[in-house]
Amino acid sequence: MPKLKLPKPPLPPIPPAFQPAPPRPDETDGKTTPLDVAKEAGTHVVDWVDERTSLSGAARWMMFRKVPKGTNWFYTLGSATMFAFLNQAVTGVFLAMYYDPSPTHAYESARYITNEAFLGEFVRGMHKWGSSVMVILVFLHMARTFFFGAYKYPRELNWVVGVVLLILTMLMSFSGYLLPFDQRSYWATIVGVNINGTGPLVGPYLSDFLRAGPEFGATTLSRFYAIHMMLVPGLIAALIGLHLYLVAKLGTTAPPWQRAEIEPELREERA
Ligand code: HEM
């Protein structure tokens, strides 16, 4: 069969912020007003940074690209998950300013955040409800990619990265649940750690690692806190970076009902 010669897609347009600065008014009629300078400030900053980093090429590659016909609202679920994660990261930083991960102070510090700290109840609520929102969104996003067949060649690796992200998201919920250190979180976490211990081969090691020793105690709480606020968020952030790199490199999958349009000249060649 003769090899089909596909037309090269046009390059994405250069966004206005990266276009060369227009001639300054003083280069034309000699009158520069502060407003003219202010209008150009953004372009100059971008130019200044780009001259020293050459990042505009990477930014164009990442952000300005064609998407398949039929792209719809379901394609926003991945970005929605990412924003839910960012909400968790930002609200988590503020909670960490007041939270104390010691068995004697944890409950009291969580109570202080809710009842006394400025906007504490709001920030804690955003973090608590945000965690459920992130879990729901990650499942919906996974369902979208599954039903649209986006796990198939060449995106298998991105699906695997996604599965790890899903597990890490669940681990965030699990490790965060202990932190208020009330009766419910304490006993629920003991049950969860014991369930982990029943897993084949790695189960007992996993529950020992989570418990940070043979007994459930002070070291368990610090371990859960370190896992919740440093280890897992760091891994999630790095893997989201890899996930998005692969999305940008491979492009998104067209909806399964979308059929490719064949250029008329190619149709003739095929016949
Ligand atoms: C923290 C969790 C996650 C974040 C922030 C995230 C983010 C994203 C974003 C922004 C996109 C591009 C837009 C879109 O198609 O929605 C995407 C695509 C994709 N994601 Fe995720 N994702 C996550 C978890 C997952 C999970 C759990 C899976 C599956 C197990 C998965 C599999 C995929 C695949 C296969 C694509 C390519 C879609 C396509 O080609 O149409 N992701 N992800």
Side-chain angles (χ1 to χ4, degrees), residues 74-79 81-82 85 134 138 141-142 144-145 148 150-151 155 158-163 165-166 169 236 240 243-244 247 251-254:
F74 291 114
Y75 286 73
T76 58
L77 287 165
S79 315
T81 315
M82 191 170 66
F85 173 68
M134 185 173 168
V138 79
H141 169 61
M142 185 172 72
R144 196 291 282 172
T145 52
F148 282 36
Y151 54 86
R155 299 183 181 80
N158 217 13
W159 174 266
V160 172
V161 173
V163 171
L165 278 169
L166 178 77
T169 306
I236 293 186
I240 288 180
H243 200 63
L244 293 188
V247 170
T252 48
T253 313

Side-chain angles (χ1 to χ4, degrees), residues 102-181:
S102 81
T104 42
H105 293 110
Y107 180 80
E108 170 52 26
S109 64
R111 192 207 59 77
Y112 178 85
I113 292 171
T114 309
N115 297 335
E116 276 153 75
F118 175 64
L119 290 180
E121 191 175 6
F122 173 70
V123 175
R124 194 174 166 198
M126 289 280 286
H127 197 75
K128 190 195 145 164
W129 289 102
S131 74
S132 302
V133 168
M134 185 173 168
V135 171
I136 293 168
L137 285 173
V138 79
F139 273 105
L140 290 176
H141 169 61
M142 185 172 72
R144 196 291 282 172
T145 52
F146 177 75
F147 286 117
F148 282 36
Y151 54 86
K152 293 180 197 170
Y153 175 84
R155 299 183 181 80
E156 305 95 321
L157 182 61
N158 217 13
W159 174 266
V160 172
V161 173
V163 171
V164 179
L165 278 169
L166 178 77
I167 295 169
L168 291 175
T169 306
M170 306 303 279
L171 189 53
M172 281 303 278
S173 297
F174 180 62
S175 55
Y177 201 76
L178 177 68
L179 303 184
F181 223 54

